[in-house]
Amino acid sequence: ATLVIPEPEDIAPHALARWLLEHRISFVHLTPAMAEILCVTEATAFPELRIAFLTGDRLSDAIVEKLLGFN
């Protein structure tokens, strides 16, 4: 396993999705705010992603539905 931490400039709409895809991330730990960033991108799938661990605050039903649609 390899731990990969995004640079601050990678935590922005479109950049975070691209970063996940480029680094072939399979397990991600995000805050709900970062999850919301993913939901405003044009990405439709993250093929390598197997587990998304979200902590820190509540997620809206709309965000949960969008995240579940990324499979």
Coordinates of all heavy atoms in Angstrom, one line a residue:
A1 N 0.8 -1.2 0.0 CA 0.0 0.0 0.0 C 0.9 1.2 0.0 O 2.0 1.2 0.5 CB -0.9 0.0 1.2
T2 N 0.3 2.3 -0.5 CA 1.0 3.6 -0.6 C 0.1 4.7 -0.1 O -1.0 4.7 -0.5 CB 1.5 3.9 -2.0 OG1 2.3 2.8 -2.5 CG2 2.2 5.2 -2.1
L3 N 0.6 5.5 0.8 CA -0.1 6.7 1.2 C 0.2 7.9 0.3 O 1.3 8.2 0.1 CB 0.3 7.0 2.7 CG -0.4 8.3 3.3 CD1 -1.9 8.1 3.4 CD2 0.2 8.6 4.6
V4 N -0.9 8.4 -0.2 CA -0.7 9.6 -1.2 C -1.6 10.7 -0.6 O -2.8 10.5 -0.4 CB -1.2 9.2 -2.6 CG1 -0.9 10.3 -3.5 CG2 -0.5 7.9 -3.1
I5 N -1.0 11.9 -0.4 CA -1.7 13.0 0.2 C -1.7 14.1 -0.9 O -0.6 14.5 -1.4 CB -1.0 13.5 1.4 CG1 -0.9 12.4 2.5 CG2 -1.7 14.8 2.0 CD1 -0.1 12.7 3.7
P6 N -2.9 14.6 -1.2 CA -2.9 15.7 -2.3 C -2.3 17.0 -1.8 O -2.4 17.3 -0.6 CB -4.4 15.8 -2.5 CG -5.1 15.4 -1.3 CD -4.2 14.3 -0.7
E7 N -1.7 17.7 -2.7 CA -1.3 19.0 -2.5 C -2.5 20.0 -2.3 O -3.5 19.7 -2.9 CB -0.3 19.5 -3.6 CG 0.9 18.7 -3.8 CD 1.9 18.8 -2.6 OE1 1.9 19.9 -1.9 OE2 2.5 17.8 -2.3
P8 N -2.3 21.1 -1.7 CA -3.5 22.0 -1.5 C -4.1 22.4 -2.9 O -5.4 22.5 -2.9 CB -2.9 23.2 -0.8 CG -1.7 22.7 -0.1 CD -1.2 21.6 -0.9
E9 N -3.3 22.5 -3.9 CA -3.9 22.9 -5.2 C -4.7 21.8 -5.8 O -5.5 22.0 -6.8 CB -2.9 23.4 -6.2 CG -1.8 22.4 -6.5 CD -0.6 22.5 -5.6 OE1 -0.6 23.1 -4.5 OE2 0.4 21.8 -5.9
D10 N -4.5 20.5 -5.3 CA -5.3 19.4 -5.8 C -6.7 19.3 -5.2 O -7.5 18.5 -5.6 CB -4.6 18.1 -5.6 CG -3.3 18.0 -6.4 OD1 -3.3 18.5 -7.6 OD2 -2.3 17.5 -5.9
I11 N -6.9 20.1 -4.1 CA -8.2 20.0 -3.4 C -9.1 21.2 -3.9 O -9.2 22.2 -3.3 CB -8.0 20.1 -1.9 CG1 -7.1 19.0 -1.5 CG2 -9.4 20.0 -1.2 CD1 -6.7 19.0 0.0
A12 N -9.6 21.0 -5.1 CA -10.4 22.0 -5.8 C -11.3 21.3 -6.7 O -11.0 20.2 -7.1 CB -9.6 23.0 -6.5
P13 N -12.5 21.9 -7.1 CA -13.3 21.2 -8.1 C -12.5 20.8 -9.3 O -11.6 21.6 -9.7 CB -14.4 22.2 -8.4 CG -14.5 23.0 -7.1 CD -13.0 23.1 -6.6
H14 N -12.8 19.7 -9.9 CA -12.1 19.1 -11.0 C -10.7 18.6 -10.7 O -10.3 17.6 -11.2 CB -12.2 20.1 -12.2 CG -13.5 20.6 -12.5 ND1 -14.6 19.8 -12.9 CD2 -14.0 21.8 -12.4 CE1 -15.6 20.5 -13.1 NE2 -15.4 21.8 -12.8
A15 N -10.0 19.4 -9.9 CA -8.6 18.9 -9.6 C -8.6 17.7 -8.7 O -7.8 16.8 -9.0 CB -7.8 20.0 -9.0
L16 N -9.5 17.6 -7.8 CA -9.5 16.5 -6.9 C -9.9 15.2 -7.6 O -9.3 14.2 -7.4 CB -10.5 16.7 -5.7 CG -10.5 15.7 -4.6 CD1 -9.1 15.4 -4.0 CD2 -11.5 16.0 -3.5
A17 N -10.9 15.3 -8.5 CA -11.3 14.2 -9.3 C -10.2 13.7 -10.2 O -9.9 12.5 -10.2 CB -12.6 14.5 -10.1
R18 N -9.5 14.6 -10.8 CA -8.4 14.3 -11.7 C -7.3 13.6 -10.9 O -6.7 12.6 -11.3 CB -7.9 15.5 -12.4 CG -6.9 15.3 -13.4 CD -6.5 16.6 -14.2 NE -6.5 17.8 -13.5 CZ -7.5 18.8 -13.6 NH1 -8.5 18.6 -14.4 NH2 -7.4 19.9 -12.9
W19 N -7.0 14.1 -9.7 CA -6.0 13.6 -8.8 C -6.3 12.1 -8.4 O -5.5 11.3 -8.4 CB -5.9 14.5 -7.5 CG -4.8 14.1 -6.6 CD1 -3.5 14.4 -6.6 CD2 -5.0 13.2 -5.4 NE1 -2.8 13.8 -5.6 CE2 -3.7 13.1 -4.8 CE3 -6.1 12.6 -4.9 CZ2 -3.5 12.3 -3.7 CZ3 -5.9 11.8 -3.7 CH2 -4.6 11.7 -3.1
L20 N -7.6 11.9 -8.0 CA -8.0 10.5 -7.7 C -7.8 9.6 -8.8 O -7.3 8.4 -8.6 CB -9.5 10.5 -7.2 CG -9.8 11.1 -5.9 CD1 -11.3 11.2 -5.7 CD2 -9.3 10.2 -4.8
L21 N -8.1 10.0 -10.0 CA -8.0 9.1 -11.2 C -6.5 8.9 -11.5 O -6.1 7.8 -11.8 CB -8.7 9.7 -12.4 CG -10.3 9.7 -12.2 CD1 -10.9 10.6 -13.3 CD2 -10.8 8.3 -12.3
E22 N -5.7 10.0 -11.5 CA -4.3 9.9 -11.9 C -3.5 9.0 -11.0 O -2.6 8.3 -11.4 CB -3.7 11.3 -12.0 CG -4.1 12.1 -13.1 CD -3.5 13.5 -13.1 OE1 -2.8 13.9 -12.2 OE2 -3.9 14.3 -14.0
H23 N -3.8 9.1 -9.7 CA -3.1 8.3 -8.7 C -3.7 6.9 -8.4 O -3.2 6.2 -7.6 CB -3.0 9.1 -7.4 CG -2.1 10.3 -7.5 ND1 -0.7 10.2 -7.4 CD2 -2.3 11.6 -7.7 CE1 -0.1 11.3 -7.6 NE2 -1.1 12.2 -7.8
R24 N -4.8 6.6 -9.2 CA -5.5 5.4 -9.0 C -5.8 5.0 -7.6 O -5.5 3.9 -7.1 CB -4.6 4.3 -9.7 CG -4.4 4.5 -11.2 CD -3.5 3.5 -11.8 NE -4.2 2.2 -11.7 CZ -3.6 1.1 -11.9 NH1 -2.3 1.0 -12.3 NH2 -4.2 -0.1 -11.8
I25 N -6.4 6.0 -6.9 CA -6.7 5.9 -5.5 C -7.8 4.8 -5.3 O -8.8 4.8 -5.9 CB -7.2 7.2 -4.9 CG1 -6.1 8.3 -5.1 CG2 -7.6 7.1 -3.5 CD1 -4.8 8.0 -4.4
S26 N -7.5 3.9 -4.3 CA -8.5 2.8 -4.1 C -9.2 2.9 -2.7 O -10.2 2.4 -2.5 CB -7.8 1.4 -4.1 OG -6.7 1.4 -3.2
F27 N -8.6 3.7 -1.8 CA -9.1 4.0 -0.5 C -9.0 5.5 -0.2 O -7.8 6.0 -0.3 CB -8.4 3.2 0.6 CG -9.0 3.3 2.0 CD1 -9.8 2.4 2.5 CD2 -8.6 4.5 2.7 CE1 -10.3 2.6 3.8 CE2 -9.1 4.6 4.0 CZ -9.9 3.7 4.5
V28 N -10.0 6.1 0.1 CA -9.9 7.6 0.3 C -10.6 8.0 1.6 O -11.6 7.4 2.0 CB -10.5 8.4 -0.9 CG1 -12.0 8.2 -1.0 CG2 -10.2 9.8 -0.8
H29 N -10.0 8.9 2.4 CA -10.6 9.4 3.6 C -10.8 10.9 3.3 O -9.9 11.7 3.2 CB -9.6 9.2 4.8 CG -10.2 9.7 6.1 ND1 -9.4 9.9 7.2 CD2 -11.4 10.1 6.4 CE1 -10.1 10.4 8.2 NE2 -11.4 10.5 7.7
L30 N -12.1 11.3 3.3 CA -12.4 12.7 3.0 C -13.3 13.3 4.1 O -14.0 12.6 4.8 CB -13.2 12.7 1.7 CG -12.6 12.1 0.4 CD1 -13.7 12.1 -0.7 CD2 -11.4 13.0 0.0
T31 N -13.3 14.6 4.1 CA -14.3 15.3 4.9 C -15.5 15.4 4.0 O -15.4 15.3 2.8 CB -13.8 16.7 5.3 OG1 -13.6 17.5 4.1 CG2 -12.5 16.6 6.1
P32 N -16.7 15.7 4.6 CA -17.8 15.9 3.7 C -17.7 17.1 2.7 O -18.1 17.0 1.6 CB -18.9 16.2 4.7 CG -18.5 15.3 5.9 CD -17.0 15.5 6.0
A33 N -16.9 18.1 3.1 CA -16.7 19.2 2.2 C -15.9 18.8 1.0 O -16.2 19.2 -0.1 CB -16.0 20.3 3.0
M34 N -14.9 17.9 1.2 CA -14.2 17.4 0.1 C -15.0 16.5 -0.8 O -14.9 16.5 -2.0 CB -12.9 16.6 0.5 CG -11.9 17.6 1.1 SD -10.5 16.7 1.8 CE -9.6 16.2 0.3
A35 N -15.9 15.7 -0.2 CA -16.8 14.9 -1.0 C -17.7 15.8 -1.8 O -18.0 15.4 -3.0 CB -17.7 14.0 0.0
E36 N -18.2 16.9 -1.3 CA -19.0 17.8 -2.1 C -18.2 18.4 -3.3 O -18.8 18.6 -4.3 CB -19.5 18.9 -1.2 CG -20.6 18.5 -0.2 CD -21.2 19.6 0.6 OE1 -21.4 20.7 0.0 OE2 -21.3 19.5 1.8
I37 N -16.9 18.6 -3.1 CA -16.1 19.0 -4.2 C -16.1 18.0 -5.3 O -16.2 18.4 -6.5 CB -14.6 19.3 -3.8 CG1 -14.6 20.5 -2.9 CG2 -13.7 19.4 -4.9 CD1 -13.2 20.8 -2.2
L38 N -16.1 16.7 -5.0 CA -16.2 15.7 -6.0 C -17.5 15.7 -6.8 O -17.6 15.4 -7.9 CB -16.0 14.3 -5.4 CG -14.6 13.9 -5.0 CD1 -14.5 12.6 -4.4 CD2 -13.6 14.0 -6.2
C39 N -18.5 16.1 -6.1 CA -19.9 16.1 -6.6 C -20.1 17.2 -7.6 O -21.2 17.1 -8.3 CB -20.9 16.0 -5.5 SG -20.9 14.5 -4.6
V40 N -19.3 18.2 -7.7 CA -19.5 19.2 -8.7 C -18.6 19.1 -9.9 O -18.4 20.0 -10.7 CB -19.3 20.6 -8.0 CG1 -20.3 20.9 -7.0 CG2 -17.9 20.8 -7.5
T41 N -18.0 17.9 -10.0 CA -17.1 17.7 -11.1 C -17.8 17.0 -12.3 O -19.0 16.5 -12.1 CB -15.9 16.8 -10.7 OG1 -16.4 15.5 -10.4 CG2 -15.1 17.4 -9.6
E42 N -17.2 16.9 -13.4 CA -17.8 16.2 -14.5 C -17.5 14.7 -14.5 O -17.9 13.9 -15.3 CB -17.2 16.8 -15.8 CG -17.7 18.2 -16.0 CD -17.0 18.8 -17.2 OE1 -16.2 18.2 -17.9 OE2 -17.3 20.0 -17.5
A43 N -16.7 14.3 -13.5 CA -16.4 12.8 -13.3 C -17.6 12.0 -13.1 O -18.6 12.5 -12.5 CB -15.4 12.6 -12.2
T44 N -17.6 10.8 -13.7 CA -18.8 10.0 -13.6 C -18.4 8.7 -12.9 O -19.3 7.9 -12.5 CB -19.4 9.6 -14.9 OG1 -18.4 9.0 -15.8 CG2 -20.0 10.9 -15.6
A45 N -17.1 8.4 -12.8 CA -16.7 7.1 -12.1 C -15.3 7.2 -11.7 O -14.5 8.0 -12.3 CB -16.9 6.0 -13.1
F46 N -15.0 6.5 -10.6 CA -13.6 6.3 -10.1 C -13.3 4.8 -10.1 O -13.6 4.2 -9.1 CB -13.4 7.0 -8.8 CG -13.7 8.5 -8.8 CD1 -14.9 9.0 -8.4 CD2 -12.7 9.3 -9.2 CE1 -15.2 10.3 -8.5 CE2 -13.0 10.7 -9.3 CZ -14.2 11.2 -8.9
P47 N -12.9 4.3 -11.2 CA -12.8 2.8 -11.3 C -12.0 2.1 -10.3 O -12.2 1.0 -9.9 CB -12.3 2.6 -12.7 CG -11.9 3.9 -13.3 CD -12.4 4.9 -12.4
E48 N -10.9 2.7 -9.8 CA -10.0 2.1 -8.8 C -10.6 2.2 -7.4 O -10.2 1.5 -6.5 CB -8.6 2.7 -8.9 CG -8.0 2.7 -10.2 CD -7.6 1.3 -10.6 OE1 -7.3 0.4 -9.8 OE2 -7.6 1.0 -11.8
L49 N -11.4 3.2 -7.1 CA -11.9 3.5 -5.8 C -12.8 2.3 -5.2 O -13.8 2.0 -5.8 CB -12.7 4.8 -5.7 CG -13.1 5.3 -4.4 CD1 -11.8 5.6 -3.5 CD2 -13.9 6.6 -4.5
R50 N -12.4 1.8 -4.1 CA -13.1 0.7 -3.5 C -13.8 1.1 -2.2 O -14.9 0.7 -1.9 CB -12.2 -0.5 -3.2 CG -11.5 -1.1 -4.5 CD -12.6 -1.8 -5.3 NE -12.0 -2.2 -6.6 CZ -12.2 -1.7 -7.8 NH1 -13.1 -0.7 -7.9 NH2 -11.6 -2.1 -8.8
I51 N -13.1 2.0 -1.4 CA -13.6 2.4 -0.1 C -13.5 3.9 0.0 O -12.4 4.5 -0.3 CB -12.9 1.7 1.0 CG1 -13.0 0.2 1.0 CG2 -13.3 2.3 2.4 CD1 -12.2 -0.5 1.9
A52 N -14.6 4.6 0.4 CA -14.6 6.0 0.7 C -15.0 6.2 2.1 O -16.1 5.8 2.5 CB -15.5 6.8 -0.2
F53 N -14.1 6.7 3.0 CA -14.3 6.9 4.4 C -14.5 8.4 4.6 O -13.6 9.1 4.4 CB -13.1 6.3 5.1 CG -13.2 6.2 6.6 CD1 -14.2 5.4 7.2 CD2 -12.4 7.0 7.4 CE1 -14.3 5.4 8.6 CE2 -12.5 7.0 8.8 CZ -13.4 6.1 9.4
L54 N -15.7 8.8 5.1 CA -16.0 10.2 5.3 C -16.3 10.4 6.7 O -17.2 9.8 7.3 CB -17.2 10.6 4.4 CG -16.8 10.6 2.9 CD1 -17.3 9.3 2.2 CD2 -17.4 11.8 2.2
T55 N -15.7 11.5 7.3 CA -15.9 11.8 8.7 C -15.8 13.3 8.9 O -15.3 14.0 8.1 CB -14.8 11.2 9.6 OG1 -13.5 11.7 9.1 CG2 -14.7 9.7 9.5
G56 N -16.5 13.7 9.9 CA -16.4 15.1 10.3 C -17.6 15.9 10.3 O -17.8 16.9 11.1
D57 N -18.6 15.5 9.6 CA -19.9 16.2 9.5 C -20.9 15.4 8.8 O -20.6 14.4 8.2 CB -19.7 17.6 8.8 CG -20.7 18.6 9.2 OD1 -21.6 18.3 10.0 OD2 -20.6 19.7 8.7
R58 N -22.2 15.9 8.8 CA -23.2 15.1 8.1 C -23.2 15.4 6.6 O -22.8 16.5 6.2 CB -24.6 15.6 8.6 CG -24.9 15.2 10.0 CD -26.3 15.7 10.4 NE -27.2 15.4 9.3 CZ -28.5 15.2 9.5 NH1 -29.0 15.1 10.7 NH2 -29.3 15.0 8.5
L59 N -23.6 14.4 5.9 CA -23.7 14.5 4.4 C -25.2 14.7 4.1 O -26.0 14.0 4.6 CB -23.2 13.3 3.7 CG -21.7 13.1 3.7 CD1 -21.3 11.7 3.2 CD2 -21.0 14.2 2.8
S60 N -25.5 15.5 3.1 CA -26.9 15.6 2.7 C -27.2 14.4 1.9 O -26.4 13.7 1.3 CB -27.0 16.9 1.8 OG -26.4 16.7 0.6
D61 N -28.5 14.1 1.8 CA -29.0 13.0 1.0 C -28.5 13.1 -0.5 O -28.2 12.1 -1.1 CB -30.5 12.8 1.0 CG -31.0 12.4 2.4 OD1 -30.2 11.9 3.2 OD2 -32.2 12.6 2.7
A62 N -28.6 14.3 -1.0 CA -28.2 14.5 -2.4 C -26.7 14.2 -2.6 O -26.3 13.6 -3.7 CB -28.4 16.0 -2.8
I63 N -25.8 14.5 -1.7 CA -24.4 14.2 -1.8 C -24.2 12.7 -1.7 O -23.4 12.1 -2.5 CB -23.6 14.9 -0.8 CG1 -23.7 16.5 -1.0 CG2 -22.1 14.5 -0.8 CD1 -23.1 17.0 -2.3
V64 N -24.9 12.0 -0.8 CA -24.8 10.6 -0.7 C -25.2 9.9 -2.0 O -24.5 9.0 -2.5 CB -25.6 10.1 0.5 CG1 -25.7 8.6 0.5 CG2 -25.0 10.6 1.8
E65 N -26.3 10.3 -2.6 CA -26.8 9.7 -3.8 C -25.7 9.9 -4.9 O -25.5 9.0 -5.7 CB -28.1 10.3 -4.2 CG -29.2 9.8 -3.3 CD -30.6 10.4 -3.8 OE1 -30.8 10.7 -5.0 OE2 -31.4 10.6 -2.8
K66 N -25.2 11.1 -5.0 CA -24.2 11.4 -6.1 C -22.9 10.5 -5.8 O -22.4 9.9 -6.8 CB -23.8 12.9 -6.0 CG -22.7 13.3 -7.0 CD -23.2 13.4 -8.4 CE -22.1 13.9 -9.3 NZ -22.5 14.1 -10.7
L67 N -22.5 10.4 -4.6 CA -21.3 9.6 -4.3 C -21.6 8.1 -4.7 O -20.7 7.4 -5.2 CB -20.9 9.7 -2.9 CG -20.3 11.1 -2.4 CD1 -20.2 11.2 -1.0 CD2 -19.0 11.4 -3.2
L68 N -22.7 7.6 -4.3 CA -23.0 6.2 -4.6 C -23.1 6.0 -6.1 O -22.9 4.9 -6.6 CB -24.4 5.8 -3.9 CG -24.3 5.7 -2.4 CD1 -25.7 5.5 -1.8 CD2 -23.3 4.6 -2.0
G69 N -23.4 7.0 -6.9 CA -23.5 6.9 -8.3 C -22.1 6.8 -9.0 O -22.1 6.5 -10.2
F70 N -21.1 7.0 -8.3 CA -19.7 7.0 -8.9 C -19.2 5.6 -9.1 O -18.1 5.4 -9.5 CB -18.7 7.8 -8.0 CG -18.8 9.3 -8.2 CD1 -18.7 10.1 -7.1 CD2 -19.0 9.9 -9.4 CE1 -18.8 11.5 -7.2 CE2 -19.0 11.2 -9.5 CZ -18.9 12.0 -8.4
N71 N -19.9 4.6 -8.8 CA -19.4 3.2 -8.9 C -19.2 2.7 -10.3 O -19.5 3.2 -11.3 CB -20.3 2.2 -8.2 CG -21.7 2.2 -8.7 OD1 -22.0 2.9 -9.6 ND2 -22.5 1.5 -8.0

